Amino acid sequence: MATFFGEVVVAPSRAGLDEEEEAREETPEDREIRREIEKKRYRQRRSGASGWRAGKGSSPRGEIDVLWTWRSGGCGEEPLVCSRFIVAIGRNAAAFLSSFILDSVCWEVVGVVKLWNEWCRTSSTTNVLPTDSFCLFYRLIADPTVLLCQCSCYVAEDQQFQWLEKVFGSMQKEGLQVTILSTCPVADYKTQESTLTLASPFLKALKTKEFQEQLCCPLLEQPNIVRDLPAA
């Protein structure tokens, strides 16, 4: 339970259940919908990506792959040492990073997320290039423990847990500070004031109780919430 509104807490989720337990709780309708989505993505991927081949570990479920430039693969590698991880989710947040942070020679592309769903079809190549994906990782050259992620692509609801699991599974958790940047329409902002009088754009924050630093903006007021991948 949150000690104050605006604090991010971990809620119970079925996303982390193993497949056997999840299968027991699924209804026949759930299973049918999931199978249809999987088949549709698989057909779109086979017909829409020229030269696409089902490589090792590929499946019709449209799994997410995280590729790093300095890693050769293998499960025995040490977790990535990371002190600060800034994630910009959505086109506006990604554009903000490009305009005010990445517009210099201080950053290098070090990773990419490959995924495939109804609204996002990234390249099947293994080269880590900005043209290959809409979800890129950058490393600060002066301090390699600082990473940025531009995620301007759509991550479907059934892919969000896998995205988090694979991205954060590559990093050490101790001493890691994560900052999420995202946007939403002013019309969705709930307030007693008229949205016509609000200065736009404006910035609000949510934080966990572990974050002890000074906030750069006020906390998000009730009953506003965040959704989708930023909430996950």
Side-chain angles (χ1 to χ4, degrees):
M1 180 178 294
T3 56
F4 60 90
F5 185 80
E7 178 184 0
V8 177
V9 295
V10 179
S13 173
R14 296 177 65 250
L17 298 180
D18 58 66
E19 293 184 359
E20 181 179 352
E21 183 177 355
E22 183 179 2
R24 288 198 302 267
E25 296 185 8
E26 277 187 330
T27 65
E29 292 79 9
D30 292 336
R31 289 193 293 272
E32 181 63 24
I33 291 173
R34 179 165 56 82
R35 283 195 296 265
E36 288 301 319
I37 292 176
E38 291 170 2
K39 287 190 293 185
K40 180 179 179 181
R41 287 179 183 168
Y42 184 63
R43 289 194 299 266
Q44 289 176 336
R45 187 171 184 176
R46 291 301 299 268
S47 62
S50 59
W52 178 84
R53 295 197 306 264
K56 183 178 180 182
S58 298
S59 80
R61 300 184 63 177
E63 290 188 356
I64 293 175
D65 294 317
V66 179
L67 307 176
W68 301 98
T69 57
W70 69 88
R71 292 189 169 186
S72 59
C75 58
E77 296 178 348
E78 292 295 324
L80 175 66
V81 178
C82 184
S83 60
R84 291 179 180 267
F85 184 39
I86 302 174
V87 186
I89 300 175
R91 296 184 181 275
N92 291 334
F96 175 82
L97 281 190
S98 296
S99 299
F100 296 99
I101 298 180
L102 292 172
D103 190 20
S104 68
V105 296
C106 301
W107 303 87
E108 59 178 345
V109 177
V110 294
V112 65
V113 175
K114 304 286 188 179
L115 57 86
W116 187 281
N117 56 48
E118 292 77 10
W119 298 100
C120 179
R121 304 176 184 183
T122 59
S123 168
S124 60
T125 62
T126 57
N127 296 325
V128 180
L129 297 173
T131 56
D132 287 338
S133 175
F134 298 102
C135 190
L136 292 171
F137 298 96
Y138 296 83
R139 179 170 59 181
L140 183 62
I141 297 177
D143 184 357
T145 67
V146 177
L147 292 182
L148 298 180
C149 175
Q150 278 185 306
C151 184
S152 58
C153 59
Y154 171 73
V155 182
E157 290 185 4
D158 60 316
Q159 295 177 321
Q160 291 172 8
F161 176 76
Q162 187 183 166
W163 193 98
L164 295 169
E165 186 180 44
K166 292 196 173 184
V167 170
F168 286 95
S170 305
M171 304 177 185
Q172 68 170 21
K173 307 301 187 297
E174 185 178 358
L176 173 61
Q177 183 183 106
V178 181
T179 302
I180 309 295
L181 304 175
S182 65
T183 61
C184 67
V186 175
D188 292 343
Y189 180 64
K190 298 175 177 61
T191 177
Q192 294 181 349
E193 303 178 35
S194 171
T195 55
L196 297 177
T197 62
L198 292 174
S200 182
F202 56 89
L203 189 65
K204 301 287 182 177
L206 294 172
K207 73 181 188 71
T208 61
K209 60 183 179 182
E210 285 79 14
F211 185 82
Q212 301 298 328
E213 298 182 17
Q214 183 71 29
L215 287 174
C216 63
C217 62
L219 288 171
L220 186 66
E221 308 92 345
Q222 290 181 301
N224 295 284
I225 60 173
V226 294
R227 299 179 176 84
D228 301 322
L229 188 59

